[in-house]
Amino acid sequence: MSIDSRDFEYLRDFLMKSSGLVVKPEKEYLLKSRLEPLVRSKGMASISELVSKMKAPSARDLQNTVTDAMTTNESLFFRDKSPFEHLDDIMLPYLLEARKTRRKVRIWCAASSTGQEPYSVAMSLKEQAVKVAGWNFEIIGTDISKTVLAKASAGEYTQFEVQRGLPIKLLLKYFTQKGENWVLNEDIRKMVKYQEGNLLESFSNIGKFDIVFCRNVLIYFDLDTKRQVLEKIAKQMDPDSYLLLGAAETVMGVCDKFESVKGARGLYKMK
Amino acid sequence: MKRCLVVDDSSVIRKVARRVLEELDFEIIEAEDGQKALDQCFEDMPEAILLDWNMPVMDGLEFLMQLRSSKNGDKPKVIFCTTENDISHIAQAVQAGADEYIMKPFDREILENKFHEVGLI
């Protein structure tokens, strides 16, 4: 059954306002596949009923749940691999020189989802322990969804999740088995701090960063929103800081504050 | 074309692995226990081995230890694929020379991911 056109328009406008997510008419299936399980779990009859309940005055929680369902994506450890190679081979060598007086590097994983990305950064740094001894690394993960932030903070993953992208030697080294699940050891967990953050709202309170991971988020936004988000991220970065985007994303034609790093796909530097 | 030896006493698992790995452009050879796998390796060493743990005649760990101590036995990438999913088994396998480890049940994505992890694709 297709979604009533007025309901579709309401959901599209709501998601645009709440999260910047662009839902084109041909992506109606995405709304259905994400929202129908939610409709069932709430004991509702249809997406129509969900929409009418979202319009009620006290529907804030329900609205958040809908945003969560639409913006949460399955994540994996060391996704795409190359960003973590860039961290080891390009960013760290540069920053260990450029920041040697303050010996502090701040890393921001924007839209950190269930934590796989910031924890992959933390494990990468741990693997370089000798090089970074005496340095202070601060990793901040932000996400719009409280549900994924809670999961990220817990650092507990299913057997399936730890087999997506995580080399077995790192599983042995940094995880402890807990029943069917695997929990990241405390020394890795405490390297990452999580906080709620919507890329469409102001985030000037989180300070400046030397490295920003913002991967596979911009693809969901329209051009204007992409530009706004990149401009805001640029304000949180020092002039020679690094930005990582997803494989299908670019700053080209969107924002002129960054230039691409030659030979390093997805890696940009503040001009 | 790279060759992968699939070692498992379950014909169902061998069939599932074959289907996925053939799509990833591997030529598949099958063996139903560690001894048969070892015979196959001595005859013609494959580039990859997907290895079950519990099997009759010779189990996966014994096979791996014998393989790694034999001529050219250090060449193949060995990926365990087993229901033994506790940390001590994993540590034992890595210690014995396994390159990667898949905990059953697995899906296509995990299999592909692990072959990528060891540089086979």
Side-chain angles (χ1 to χ4, degrees), chain A residues 31-175:
Chain A
L31 278 179
K32 283 178 56 139
S33 69
R34 297 281 178 98
L35 296 183
E36 273 169 357
L38 177 67
V39 163
R40 282 195 296 274
S41 75
K42 298 268 174 201
M44 296 177 195
S46 61
I47 289 182
S48 262
E49 186 182 345
L50 175 72
V51 168
S52 67
K53 295 216 159 114
M54 285 170 71
K55 293 174 180 165
S58 57
R60 188 69 207 230
D61 281 353
L62 185 62
Q63 290 180 353
N64 288 343
T65 312
V66 169
T67 308
D68 272 15
M70 292 305 302
T71 56
T72 304
N73 291 294
E74 198 200 9
S75 187
L76 53 155
F77 289 97
F78 296 95
R79 184 170 183 176
D80 299 333
K81 275 219 158 57
S82 67
F84 303 93
E85 290 163 8
H86 298 337
L87 179 67
D88 290 352
D89 302 339
I90 300 172
M91 293 184 267
L92 273 183
Y94 176 83
L95 291 170
L96 291 182
E97 185 58 34
R99 307 285 187 268
K100 67 182 175 193
T101 48
R102 69 170 201 238
R103 295 176 85 78
K104 182 173 180 175
V105 171
R106 297 188 81 232
I107 300 170
W108 177 21
C109 293
S112 55
S113 189
T114 40
Q116 282 91 336
E117 183 178 78
Y119 288 137
S120 298
V121 173
M123 284 185 274
S124 296
L125 295 172
K126 215 51 170 183
E127 289 291 294
Q128 305 254 6
V130 177
K131 262 193 233 167
V132 302
W135 281 70
N136 179 4
F137 282 89
E138 200 178 341
I139 306 168
I140 313 275
T142 61
D143 203 280
I144 187 174
S145 159
K146 281 197 180 93
T147 320
V148 299
L149 285 169
K151 180 170 159 86
S153 302
E156 184 170 331
Y157 299 94
T158 66
Q159 184 173 298
F160 269 94
E161 288 168 326
V162 296
Q163 299 203 81
R164 303 213 191 275
L166 184 69
I168 198 69
K169 286 179 179 141
L170 298 185
L171 178 76
L172 276 179
K173 214 163 161 181
Y174 298 120
F175 287 77

Side-chain angles (χ1 to χ4, degrees), chain B:
Chain B
M1 196 185 248
K2 285 181 181 156
R3 286 163 318 137
C4 180
L5 175 61
V6 177
V7 193
D8 202 305
D9 57 343
S10 152
S11 60
V12 177
I13 296 285
R14 292 201 305 270
K15 201 186 272 177
V16 170
R18 171 187 283 275
R19 198 167 53 223
V20 175
L21 292 170
E22 279 180 345
E23 278 174 39
L24 296 170
D25 261 351
F26 282 90
E27 185 189 326
I28 304 302
I29 317 151
E30 295 183 21
E32 63 207 46
D33 65 55
Q35 186 56 56
K36 288 194 173 123
L38 211 51
D39 295 344
Q40 173 60 44
C41 288
F42 291 152
E43 198 181 299
D44 198 0
M45 202 62 87
E47 281 86 5
I49 300 171
L50 188 71
L51 181 63
D52 187 19
W53 194 301
N54 297 305
M55 290 175 291
V57 189
M58 185 192 288
D59 71 17
L61 187 69
E62 179 62 30
F63 161 81
L64 178 59
M65 290 191 292
Q66 292 210 23
L67 174 78
R68 288 307 195 208
S69 62
S70 56
K71 189 172 173 250
N72 289 328
D74 57 335
K75 299 278 190 303
K77 297 287 185 191
V78 176
I79 300 168
F80 254 107
C81 184
T82 167
T83 50
E84 300 295 349
N85 55 11
D86 59 281
I87 210 152
S88 64
H89 275 88
I90 300 172
Q92 220 180 337
V94 170
Q95 184 73 31
D99 297 286
E100 261 300 339
Y101 200 101
I102 295 170
M103 297 176 267
K104 287 176 184 165
F106 63 97
D107 60 9
R108 189 203 155 84
E109 199 187 325
I110 290 175
L111 198 58
E112 190 171 345
N113 187 278
K114 293 290 184 180
F115 271 69
H116 189 73
E117 190 60 50
V118 297
L120 282 164
I121 46 177

Side-chain angles (χ1 to χ4, degrees), chain A residues 107-108 110 209-214 233 236-237 242-244:
Chain A
I107 300 170
W108 177 21
F209 293 91
D210 305 292
I211 298 174
V212 178
F213 285 77
C214 183
I233 288 175
Q236 305 308 124
M237 294 170 69
Y242 290 100
L243 170 71
L244 279 139

Side-chain angles (χ1 to χ4, degrees), chain A residues 225-247:
Chain A
T225 312
K226 279 181 187 144
R227 181 171 294 129
Q228 286 171 33
V229 170
L230 283 172
E231 295 281 343
K232 275 199 275 186
I233 288 175
K235 286 201 183 107
Q236 305 308 124
M237 294 170 69
D238 282 326
D240 58 348
S241 299
Y242 290 100
L243 170 71
L244 279 139
L245 297 181

